[in-house]
Amino acid sequence: MAYTRYELLRALRNKRFFVFSLGFPLALYFLTAGPNQNDSNLQGTGLSAPLYFMVSMASWGTMTAMLGTGARIAGERQVGWNRQLRISPLSAVAYLRAKVAISYLMAVLSLILLYASGTILGVRLPASEWLQMTGLILVGLIPFAALGIFLGHKLTVDSVGPFIGGGTALLALLSGTWFPLAKTGFLHDVAQYLPSYWLVQANRVALGGTSWGSRGWLVVGVWSVVLIVLAARAYRADTGRA
């Protein structure tokens, strides 16, 4: 746990990381939801604009927080920190656990801030729906935690930033972050096979739903397994550890 505490302190002291990871989704939320604050049925979704965009920005902000692990790992590789860790008693499990823990910490902080902002704009939900929605988002982040580790061990510092920025922007577009997707059409068909789509769909809990349905769980589960395997292989190939 010592290494996890070290990673936590390092993350909390990185002011620029906090501003971009937490402040940017917050600013975008007020820019998109604020002008539509009184829209109680956004484009026929049955959801108010503040609620829809709250969960949409939460999906984008938490994705960014999870993938940010890749940038930190790439930076450590560049300065040789990973080589130092390889000659230490630190186990691979402890190393990866610390990275995932910090990613989830940033994701939870992003959720708390966006939920608080949502209540300011009038979002009101029973406690059970807040908990169910949050649970779905946290489960939906598992494949992105693995993807962040994979990218960190495969990309350089120069390439990981543009890849994460462009990748999250594309996923946000395909998953209905900026606007509700039509219920039919090419984008809708493609989006349903992306884990990011189901992060946004966590807001359906507010319409009386209790889960994603079988397709959502299957998509998130398959992506999680595939990316965890790829992340483990990338880590072993990069560090030479079994």
Side-chain angles (χ1 to χ4, degrees):
M1 297 302 293
Y3 183 70
T4 302
R5 288 195 298 270
Y6 162 78
E7 284 285 310
L8 174 61
L9 289 173
R10 191 173 66 149
L12 293 176
R13 290 171 180 170
N14 191 335
K15 296 179 181 179
R16 286 180 296 178
F17 181 70
F18 266 90
V19 169
F20 285 103
S21 296
L22 303 181
F24 198 44
L26 207 61
L28 285 178
Y29 173 66
F30 281 107
L31 287 173
T32 53
N36 303 292
Q37 182 176 355
N38 297 319
D39 189 345
S40 60
N41 185 21
L42 182 67
Q43 296 186 24
T45 61
L47 299 165
S48 68
L51 172 59
Y52 181 89
F53 287 118
M54 181 187 74
V55 180
S56 297
M57 287 299 107
S59 69
W60 181 66
T62 52
M63 272 195 299
T64 302
M66 302 305 277
L67 295 179
T69 300
R72 292 193 293 274
I73 292 174
E76 292 172 357
R77 291 172 58 231
Q78 184 180 53
V79 300
W81 178 238
N82 279 22
R83 289 194 297 271
Q84 294 296 320
L85 292 177
R86 285 201 294 271
I87 62 176
S88 74
L90 183 70
S91 68
V93 172
Y95 171 81
L96 296 173
R97 180 181 60 203
K99 296 302 183 186
V100 173
I102 298 306
S103 299
Y104 265 100
L105 169 67
M106 299 305 299
V108 169
L109 288 176
S110 180
L111 282 177
I112 291 172
L113 289 175
L114 284 165
Y115 284 177
S117 301
T119 59
I120 290 174
L121 293 186
V123 175
R124 299 291 184 270
L125 295 174
S128 60
E129 292 183 1
W130 283 107
L131 291 174
Q132 290 174 25
M133 188 167 62
T134 303
L136 288 177
I137 291 173
L138 294 179
V139 171
L141 290 174
I142 293 174
F144 296 101
L147 180 59
I149 293 171
F150 173 77
L151 294 177
H153 287 287
K154 287 296 184 181
L155 301 179
T156 65
V157 173
D158 293 333
S159 60
V160 70
F163 190 94
I164 291 174
T168 53
L170 179 60
L171 288 174
L173 176 65
L174 292 175
S175 304
T177 296
W178 312 119
F179 50 84
L181 295 177
K183 295 182 179 180
T184 58
F186 177 74
L187 281 182
H188 181 267
D189 294 340
V190 171
Q192 291 187 79
Y193 294 97
L194 299 173
S196 52
Y197 173 81
W198 297 102
L199 279 177
V200 176
Q201 290 301 301
N203 59 26
R204 309 305 291 182
V205 169
L207 292 179
T210 57
S211 186
W212 289 318
S214 57
R215 175 178 289 184
W217 286 105
L218 180 61
V219 169
V220 172
V222 170
W223 276 102
S224 296
V225 171
V226 170
L227 289 172
I228 287 172
V229 171
L230 291 176
R233 289 182 177 177
Y235 173 78
R236 288 196 295 267
D238 189 38
T239 62
R241 292 192 176 191

